Each structure stands twice: as C-alpha cells, then as structure tokens.
Amino acid sequence: MNNRKPIKKRASLYDAHFYNILDYFILAILVAGVLIFILYPLLCMVKQSFAGTEGFSTEVYKSIFSDNLVLVKNSVFVGNLSAFFSTIAGLLVAICVWVAGKKMGKVLETILLISMVSPPFIASLAYIQLFGRNGLITKGILGLSLNPYGWLGVVVMQTLFFASLNALMILGMLKKMDMSLVRASFDLGASSGYTLWRIVVPLLRPILLSCYLLSFIRSIADFGTPVVIGGRFETVSTEIYMQVIGYSRLDKSAALNVLLLVPTIIVFVLYRYLMKKNEKVIDENSNKTIEAGNTFRLRGMSAIVVWLGAGFFFVMMALEYGSIFLNSFSRNLRGKITFTTMYLKALLERDMDTFVRSVEYALIVAIVGSVIGMLLSYYIERRKIKLGGVLDFIITLPYMLPGSCFGIGYILAFNHSPLKFTGTAAIVVLNMIYKQMSITTKASFSSLQQISIELDAAARDLGANKFLVMKDVILPNMKQAFATGFINNFTSAMVTAGAVIFLVTPGQKIAVFTLFDCINTGRYGEASMIATFIIAITITVNVIFSILVAWKGRRKRVFRTEKCK
C-alpha cells in the first residue's frame, strides 16, 4: 500500500510536467506562425523597397514621388468620394432597416448579408453589362451608347460595394441605442424627422466616422475596380498591380505599397479608437434597447429621403445580381436576348477544377484559421501573455493593409530556401489564413468575454493545469466563436482576391482568379456564370454549417432537459 502512493504521485507530476511543456509548445508554434507568416513578409517587402543594385538605396522612392504624384492624388480623390457616399448610403440603408419593423427588417438585413458574400469584380461586371456601351439599360432600354469607364464608374461601384458593410456596422449601433431618448423627444412634441436628424444621427457620429475611415482604406487598397472600370484613370493600387504582373518590378511595387502603408496605419489607428468609443456607448446602453420598429415611425420628408436612398441601393443590388444571373444563361445576338447553356457547359468542362480547388482551400482555411484564431485569442486575452498587445497588433496588420502588401510580401519572403512556398498551394492557403486572422481572434475574444473567469479558477482549484483548463473548460465553450470564424474564413477564402491574385500560378487557379481573367478578356457571360457559382457555393456552405451548429446546440439542450427530468 505504501509503495503505490509515490508511484501515483510521480505519475501525476509527470503528467503535469508533460502538459506544461505541451502548453508552451503550442504557444511557441502560434507565436512563430504569426512572426513568420505575418511580420516576416511585411519586413521583406519594406526591405525590398530600399534595395538597389549596390545595396541600400532610396532611388525607387525618388522616382515614385516624382513620377506617381498624380496616382496618389487620384487615389485620395476617389477614396474620399467613395468613403463619403458609401457612408451616406450605409446610413440611409441602416435607418431604413432599423425602422422597417421586425419582419421586413429581417428580410432587408438578410439581403445585406447576402451582398457581403459576393465575389470581387461582380459590381464592375454588372455595371458594364447594365450601363456599358452595349448595356442592357443604356443601349437596350434607353438607346444610348455611353462610355462607362473612368473615375465616376469607380466611385459608383465602390460606393455600392462598401455600403453594405457600412450599413451593417451602423445598424449594429442603432440596435443598441437607448430608445428612451427617442420617446422623450416624442413626449416633448418633436417630430420623427427632428428626432432622427437632431438626436439619433448625432449619436452615430463615431460609427459614421469609423465607416468613412474604413471605406477610405478599402478604396485606396482596391485595385480590381479601377483595373476593370477605371480605363485610363489609374490609382496607386492599379500601378502596383501593373508593376508586379506587367513588368515584374517588385522593388517599385514594394515601395508603392510602403507609400500606402503609412497613411493606412494612421487611419486604422483612428478607426480603432473610434470603435472603442462606439463599444463604450453600446456598453452604457446595453440594457436599454427596444425594437425601433415598435417606437419609431418616420413620416414626411425624412421618410421620403430615407426610403428613396435605401430603395435606390436595394434596386441597384437587385439589378446587379439579376444581371449576373441573367447573363449566366443568355446571349445578346444582334440586340436579341436568347437563352443559352453554353456558359454552364464551358464552366463544367474547363473551370470545374478551379471550383473544387477553391472549396478545398476554403474548407482548410475555415477549419485551421478558426482553431488558430481561438487559441491566439485565449493566450492573448485570457492568459495575458507577455507582449500580447504587440502580438495582437501584428495579427491586425494584414487586415488594415492593402492586399497587395501581403501578397507581394509573400512572394519576397517565400521564394527561396528554407521556406520556398511559391508556386504551391501552401502559400495560397497560409496567406488566406493569416489575412483574416484578426477577424477570427476578435470573434473569439467576444466569446471569451461570455465565459466567466471563475470557471478557470474553479478548474485550477480542482487540480487542472493551464493546458487542461484550455482543453476542458475554454475550448468547449467557444463553439460559437468557431462557427463565426468558420463562416467568415470560408466566405473570405472563396471571394478574396487582393493578395492571392499575386500568388496563384496558372496551374493552381482558383475560381476568383478565373473570374478576373474572364472579365479582363471580355468573356462576360462566362464571368457571370463563375460569379453565380461562387455565390451559390458560399451561401450553401454557410447555411448548411449554420443549420448544423444550431441543430447540434438544440440537440444538446434537449438532451440536458431530458437528463434533468
């Protein structure tokens, strides 16, 4: 009897020692992944921008400031216009959804969410098909032949594309607003219009400025819309694309990215500051929310302005997706539209392997990216590891920077031994995983806040070490974070283009790359069919996964209820 106790004690100590080593090993792998696949590529890009024929040089920057000043002005010009109009459009749409009532609001919000899963270039493709020289509306209905290319087309397309995210952000703020202020305004005799513009909208100033800044960042980083719609109007992002794809000038493209890097970081820091102010307002009013549709009814000129603005947006969304679907199964022969399945046959014969590859990549990114994001969030936010704030900032970098920064950084970092990944599927998947890592960690942090810190302490009191607390207490209660990360990562992987387009080789094409290729070569029917397939696959997977998560959660609740009985 006396000999058994020491054996158990030694075994217990051995297990604890093993789990501690495993815990530190996992942390080391996570930190190494962030440093190698986020920080290292960005440092390589900055280094390349100063690389001359004989070592360190600033010649590239001198040529950039002398030759590309017009491009900088164009980027700032378009960025400000797109940010302004997309913020206004987002505000009108968000107010419309907010006051529409429960049922209609759900329908409109669903439309907004669907518009978020559309692939890039789809707005530009629809714009050409509807308003181009042979557009369905301009040529077919109005009998006009207009030039759709130029800065105006870029601003219109970016406004419509950015408005959906802005509307969802503003709507989230409106849903958390203290409605007692609105009721007090009505009790004092104020009209609905006065209450909206003098009370509700002023409270939205931080989120409106946040939307403006985020849209500005997205605009100057967007190369797809200017490349397709801009025509002779060029921006910094289009020049970056041409320097890499057209001339293989990685030094100049790296320097142009660094040129975008500084203002982007400054703007993003302001954006994060404003978002913290928004969260503080939400926390103060979190227990005072009431459905706006039950209290707020817009009337008069304010109702006309909101419904016309939001109505124009939803009509454009319907035209956009309707034209894509219509052109997937029709041809315009001498002004006559005829039904055809030639684009579907072409896709099934030539491009189906790109969809299989895209789904495979997206599933890997969704699963691996979600797990890594959950673990990083746990160590940074829950365990409060040293330099966790610095690690979190590095994780946020890919989200705030233009996609071209991250793509070119990967070309420079992983084009030689010992980490030679260029031309492989690994470089594409890794880029997708770490590009969206910030969103996954933030979603995981929200779930961690719902888990009481007392559970950790109780598990430790019962003898569990840090690794077992993470494995048995934290991760099982973060299923919602995994679901959110899975949906976001899968959607992003299916529709992303900014960074990946520089990394995909002809033998490893994915669906978005094929879509971009079809638009550039004028094969709009095939491009429409590819866009339709991407949207259908993305929505289908998201719906199936959401149903499985909801069904599993409901099954567990039923099981627990029956067990209690």
Side-chain angles (χ1 to χ4, degrees):
M1 293 292 291
N2 293 333
N3 293 332
R4 292 180 183 176
K5 290 182 180 179
I7 294 173
K8 287 185 177 180
K9 189 174 182 180
R10 284 197 298 270
S12 178
L13 289 172
Y14 173 80
D15 290 342
H17 188 60
F18 170 77
Y19 285 131
N20 285 332
I21 293 175
L22 184 59
D23 178 66
Y24 286 116
F25 177 75
I26 293 173
L27 177 59
I29 292 294
L30 294 172
V31 173
V34 171
L35 296 179
I36 294 172
F37 298 113
I38 295 181
L39 185 61
Y40 176 57
L42 296 177
L43 292 177
C44 287
M45 186 198 67
V46 176
K47 178 185 176 183
Q48 182 67 28
S49 69
F50 291 101
T53 55
E54 299 179 357
F56 181 85
S57 173
T58 59
E59 290 299 321
V60 176
Y61 283 98
K62 292 177 182 178
S63 65
I64 282 176
F65 286 112
S66 60
D67 301 339
N68 298 285
L69 189 59
V70 174
L71 300 181
V72 176
K73 290 180 178 178
N74 288 346
S75 295
V76 173
F77 172 69
V78 168
N80 278 298
L81 286 179
S82 299
F84 176 77
F85 288 115
S86 63
T87 302
I88 297 299
L91 173 64
L92 296 177
V93 172
I95 292 173
C96 174
V97 176
W98 186 54
V99 301
K102 195 170 184 179
K103 291 183 179 179
M104 179 59 70
K106 285 283 186 184
V107 173
L108 297 178
E109 191 172 355
T110 302
I111 295 174
L112 286 176
L113 291 171
I114 291 175
S115 68
M116 293 295 296
V117 303
S118 62
F121 323 120
I122 186 175
S124 302
L125 175 61
Y127 179 76
I128 294 172
Q129 293 173 335
L130 292 171
F131 303 105
R133 294 187 185 277
N134 295 311
L136 183 62
I137 293 178
T138 52
K139 183 73 173 179
I141 298 177
L142 302 178
L144 303 174
S145 180
L146 302 177
N147 181 13
Y149 304 103
W151 67 267
L152 182 60
V154 176
V155 171
V156 172
M157 289 301 95
Q158 287 185 345
T159 297
L160 291 174
F161 190 65
F162 301 158
S164 297
L165 178 60
N166 291 344
L168 289 170
M169 290 173 62
I170 297 169
L171 183 61
M173 188 71 175
L174 284 170
K175 287 182 175 181
K176 297 293 184 179
M177 186 171 290
D178 183 3
M179 291 302 295
S180 62
L181 297 174
V182 174
R183 290 196 301 271
S185 177
F186 287 154
D187 291 342
L188 291 173
S191 65
S192 59
Y194 183 93
T195 303
L196 176 65
W197 305 116
R198 295 298 183 90
I199 294 177
V200 175
V201 173
L203 291 172
L204 298 174
R205 283 174 185 167
I207 193 68
L208 292 176
L209 188 53
S210 298
C211 291
Y212 182 93
L213 294 175
L214 185 61
S215 298
F216 180 80
I217 293 175
R218 297 175 71 192
S219 175
I220 64 174
D222 178 24
F223 74 90
T225 305
V227 165
V228 177
I229 296 296
R232 295 182 179 179
F233 182 82
E234 296 180 344
T235 62
V236 175
S237 57
T238 59
E239 183 65 15
I240 292 171
Y241 174 77
M242 289 305 301
Q243 289 298 324
V244 177
I245 303 299
Y247 310 117
S248 298
R249 286 287 308 274
L250 292 179
D251 56 342
K252 189 172 182 179
S253 61
L256 286 167
N257 273 302
V258 174
L259 188 66
L260 292 179
L261 191 66
V262 177
T264 301
I265 291 178
I266 294 172
V267 169
F268 195 84
V269 169
L270 291 173
Y271 164 75
R272 289 291 296 270
Y273 169 75
L274 290 168
M275 289 305 292
K276 286 183 179 179
K277 289 185 68 176
N278 296 333
E279 290 171 3
K280 188 180 292 185
V281 173
I282 288 173
D283 290 339
E284 291 173 354
N285 299 313
S286 59
N287 296 322
K288 305 174 184 178
T289 57
I290 303 173
E291 283 290 337
N294 299 332
T295 341
F296 203 109
R297 285 283 184 265
L298 273 180
R299 294 179 178 85
M301 186 57 67
S302 297
I304 294 174
V305 170
V306 169
W307 284 101
L308 278 180
F312 176 77
F313 170 81
F314 285 114
V315 167
M316 289 299 295
M317 287 292 103
L319 287 173
E320 178 181 311
Y321 287 96
S323 68
I324 295 298
F325 182 76
L326 176 65
N327 283 280
S328 299
F329 294 97
S330 65
R331 294 179 67 191
N332 192 337
L333 297 174
R334 297 178 182 179
K336 186 178 180 181
I337 298 176
T338 58
F339 175 80
T340 182
T341 58
M342 62 180 294
Y343 305 127
L344 178 61
K345 291 178 182 177
L347 185 147
L348 294 175
E349 291 173 1
R350 296 200 308 264
D351 301 323
M352 209 59 204
D353 59 328
T354 64
F355 280 95
V356 174
R357 190 176 298 114
S358 294
V359 173
E360 289 176 350
Y361 289 179
L363 288 174
I364 295 171
V365 171
I367 296 171
V368 177
S370 299
V371 172
I372 294 176
M374 289 165 59
L375 292 173
L376 281 170
S377 179
Y378 166 72
Y379 282 104
I380 293 172
E381 304 293 347
R382 195 72 158 203
R383 292 272 293 273
K384 303 293 183 183
I385 59 173
K386 291 181 179 180
L387 301 178
V390 176
L391 192 65
D392 184 53
F393 176 75
I394 295 173
I395 292 170
T396 309
L397 281 174
Y399 180 75
M400 74 169 81
L401 301 179
S404 55
C405 283
F406 212 44
I408 294 170
Y410 266 56
I411 294 174
L412 296 168
F414 305 118
N415 197 30
H416 49 77
S417 300
L419 298 174
K420 189 172 182 179
F421 293 142
T422 50
T424 66
I427 193 172
V428 178
V429 172
L430 288 168
N431 187 278
M432 289 178 175
I433 288 173
Y434 285 97
K435 183 76 172 72
Q436 294 296 318
M437 189 57 64
S438 175
I439 304 296
T440 310
T441 54
K442 295 299 179 288
S444 300
F445 175 58
S446 299
S447 290
L448 278 174
Q449 288 181 315
Q450 306 300 319
I451 305 173
S452 174
I453 194 73
E454 295 177 357
L455 289 176
D456 300 31
R460 296 298 299 273
D461 291 341
L462 293 171
N465 53 39
K466 293 178 180 179
F467 176 80
L468 292 177
V469 169
M470 176 182 68
K471 181 177 77 73
D472 297 331
V473 177
I474 300 297
L475 293 183
N477 287 292
M478 293 182 67
K479 291 176 181 176
Q480 185 59 45
F482 178 81
T484 303
F486 182 95
I487 291 173
N488 175 74
N489 287 331
F490 183 88
T491 302
S492 299
M494 286 296 296
V495 304
T496 189
V500 173
I501 203 164
F502 298 103
L503 305 174
V504 174
T505 59
Q508 295 289 331
K509 278 188 177 182
I510 56 176
V512 170
F513 187 92
T514 308
L515 170 64
F516 183 64
D517 188 42
C518 287
I519 295 176
N520 269 347
T521 54
R523 293 176 289 158
Y524 298 139
E526 289 184 40
S528 298
M529 180 59 70
I530 293 170
T532 300
F533 260 65
I534 291 175
I535 295 170
I537 290 172
T538 305
I539 293 177
T540 301
V541 172
N542 286 348
V543 169
I544 291 174
F545 188 79
S546 300
I547 291 173
L548 287 175
V549 171
W551 175 77
K552 196 170 183 180
R554 193 182 305 115
R555 186 182 177 188
K556 278 195 170 184
R557 287 194 295 271
V558 171
F559 175 76
R560 287 173 182 171
T561 304
E562 291 178 350
K563 192 174 180 181
C564 291
K565 290 180 180 179

